[in-house]
Amino acid sequence: METTVTNLEWSSLAKRSLNGECLSIEEGLAVLEANDDEVLPLMHAAFHVRQYFYGKKVKLNMIINAKSGFCPEDCGYCSQSIVSTAPIQKYSLLDKETLLAGAHEAMARKAGTYCIVASGKGPTNKELDQVVEAVKEIRETMPLKICACLGILKDGQAERLAEAGVHRYNHNLNTSKANYPSITTTHTYDQRIETVEKVKAYGMSPCSGVIIGMGESNQEIVEMALALRKLDADSIPINFLNAIPGTPLEGAGRTPAMKALKVLALFRLICPSKEIRVAGGREINLRTLQPLSLYAANSLFVGDYLTTAGQEISNDHQMIEDLGFEIELNAL
C-alpha cells in the first residue's frame, strides 16, 4: 500500500538530514512507498540536501573492464560469474599500455575518476603488480583519481595499492545481509564489510554501493542505505539490475523509473554528504527520467559498464548542460 506524505514532511526530512539526524526504517519506507504524485516534491527535498553539499556539480567516473570472465564466484546478477552462460568476451588482465589508453579516454570524457575493475574473487600478486605499475604511471602523467575494484584483498595488497596512489577502492555490498545468500554463496556479506574496512585502514577512500532489483523488499533497501551510512562509504554507486540473459537473474523485471527515483532520494536523505552515483542499469531502468536522477545523485558513470553498453557520452554531457549543472573536472 502506498504511503502519502505531504510536501512539508519531505522538507522536514531534508532539514533533519542536513542536521545529521538519521531517518528511521519507517521514514525510509515512507519515501519508497510514496505515491508517484509525490515524486517531484520528494526529489525537491533530496535536491535541497544535494545542493547543500555539492551545488550543481556532477562528478563523472569511467570504468575499464580490466579482466573479463573466468570468475569462480556465483553472483546471480553477473555475466562474468562461473554460473553465467552469457556470451561475453573473456580475457586476462589487460597490459599496462591498454590501461593507460583507458585513462586517456577517461580524460577525454571529462571523467575525474578512472575505475580499474577486474573479475575474480581477488587479485593474484602478479595481477596486483600489473595494476600497481599502471597506477603509478597514470598518477605521474595525468590529473586523474584512481579507483580500483579487484575483489577481496589478501594481507598486504591494500597497503600496496595505497602506496601506488590508488585513491579509492570499490567493493559493493550489493544487497541486504538477509538477501545475500540468495544472490551469492561463494563468499559472504561479512567478507565484503571486512574488505571495505581494510581499505579504509590504509587510507583509501571507501566506495560501496548496491544493486536494486534483485528480489529485495523495500525494508531491505532501507537497511542497505543504513548499512552504508554505518560503513561510512564516501562514494555510493546505486546500480539498477540489468537482467542479462544467461545469468540466474535473467528473468527479473526492471525497476520502474519512478521507484528508481525514490531509491535515489532515499540514499541522499540517509547519506546526505556522500557521493551518490547513478550507476549500472540507469539507461534501461530510469529511461527518459534519467535527468531527474541528478536532483538526488551528484555522480554518474559515463561510457560502457563491464559487459553492457552505456549511453553515448555526448548525451550525458548534453543532459548535464541542459539541467544547468556543471561537470566537476578532476573530482574524486
Side-chain angles (χ1 to χ4, degrees):
M1 183 176 180
E2 291 184 330
T3 303
T4 301
V5 178
T6 66
N7 297 4
L8 179 61
E9 288 174 294
W10 297 135
S11 177
S12 176
L13 287 184
K15 289 178 182 177
R16 287 178 48 215
S17 178
L18 286 171
N19 286 335
E21 298 178 44
C22 186
L23 272 64
S24 66
I25 291 282
E26 293 73 22
E27 289 167 333
L29 285 171
V31 170
L32 293 178
E33 296 171 1
N35 189 289
D36 286 350
D37 291 344
E38 290 291 315
V39 164
L40 286 180
L42 174 58
M43 295 304 289
H44 179 73
F47 179 66
H48 183 62
V49 179
R50 180 244 203 267
Q51 188 175 39
Y52 178 85
F53 289 102
Y54 296 101
K56 291 186 175 181
K57 292 183 177 179
V58 181
K59 301 172 187 284
L60 301 184
N61 299 251
M62 194 195 91
I63 291 174
I64 185 168
N65 191 7
K67 177 187 174 186
S68 183
F70 305 115
C71 184
E73 303 294 280
D74 67 353
C75 305
Y77 53 83
C78 184
S79 60
Q80 302 183 77
S81 79
I82 195 169
V83 295
S84 170
T85 59
I88 62 164
Q89 280 190 303
K90 296 182 179 181
Y91 48 84
S92 57
L93 192 69
L94 299 174
D95 59 28
K96 184 177 76 171
E97 288 68 29
T98 307
L99 293 177
L100 290 172
H104 284 290
E105 180 61 28
M107 293 282 293
R109 295 180 182 191
K110 302 183 180 180
T113 301
Y114 178 50
C115 307
I116 300 172
V117 184
S119 65
K121 192 178 188 75
T124 65
N125 286 330
K126 181 180 178 181
E127 289 170 337
L128 199 77
D129 289 343
Q130 290 177 250
V131 172
V132 163
E133 187 179 354
V135 167
K136 286 180 177 178
E137 185 157 341
I138 293 167
R139 289 297 312 275
E140 290 170 0
T141 58
M142 287 173 254
L144 276 174
K145 305 298 188 293
I146 307 297
C147 177
C149 179
L150 310 174
I152 296 171
L153 298 174
K154 304 180 188 73
D155 289 345
Q157 290 186 330
E159 184 176 9
R160 289 195 62 204
L161 289 170
E163 288 175 351
V166 171
H167 297 85
R168 175 171 286 168
Y169 196 86
N170 168 262
H171 203 56
N172 291 333
L173 297 187
N174 288 327
T175 192
S176 69
K177 186 169 186 175
N179 195 43
Y180 208 86
S182 70
I183 303 302
T184 306
T185 65
T186 46
H187 62 266
T188 67
Y189 179 92
D190 288 340
Q191 282 179 292
R192 288 191 168 262
I193 295 283
E194 289 165 9
T195 296
V196 176
E197 293 291 1
K198 182 181 291 186
V199 301
K200 286 165 62 177
Y202 286 100
M204 286 183 283
S205 172
C207 174
S208 190
V210 299
I211 305 172
I212 302 298
M214 300 197 297
E216 71 284 344
S217 67
N218 281 340
Q219 178 158 330
E220 285 174 316
I221 295 175
V222 179
E223 290 168 357
M224 292 180 220
L226 293 172
L228 288 166
R229 178 186 173 102
K230 181 179 179 181
L231 194 59
D232 199 26
D234 291 332
S235 176
I236 302 175
I238 309 296
N239 300 276
F240 298 97
L241 181 67
N242 182 347
I244 299 171
T247 63
L249 290 176
E250 66 176 342
R254 53 176 289 276
T255 299
M258 297 293 266
K259 172 69 173 291
L261 292 174
K262 295 171 194 175
V263 168
L264 292 166
L266 172 77
F267 275 81
R268 173 56 66 202
L269 293 169
I270 288 181
C271 303
S273 66
K274 304 303 185 179
E275 178 181 343
I276 306 295
R277 185 178 316 122
V278 197
R282 66 178 166 97
E283 296 86 353
I284 66 167
N285 288 274
L286 282 156
R287 299 196 293 204
T288 59
L289 297 190
Q290 284 188 74
L292 286 176
S293 68
L294 289 176
Y295 284 94
N298 66 297
S299 178
L300 291 174
F301 275 125
V302 291
D304 295 338
Y305 301 99
L306 294 175
T307 62
T308 58
Q311 185 166 276
E312 284 289 333
I313 185 62
S314 59
N315 292 342
D316 285 330
H317 288 174
Q318 189 67 65
M319 176 174 69
I320 292 166
E321 180 183 334
D322 289 347
L323 283 165
F325 289 8
E326 174 190 359
I327 296 171
E328 186 176 354
L329 299 176
N330 305 325
L332 178 58

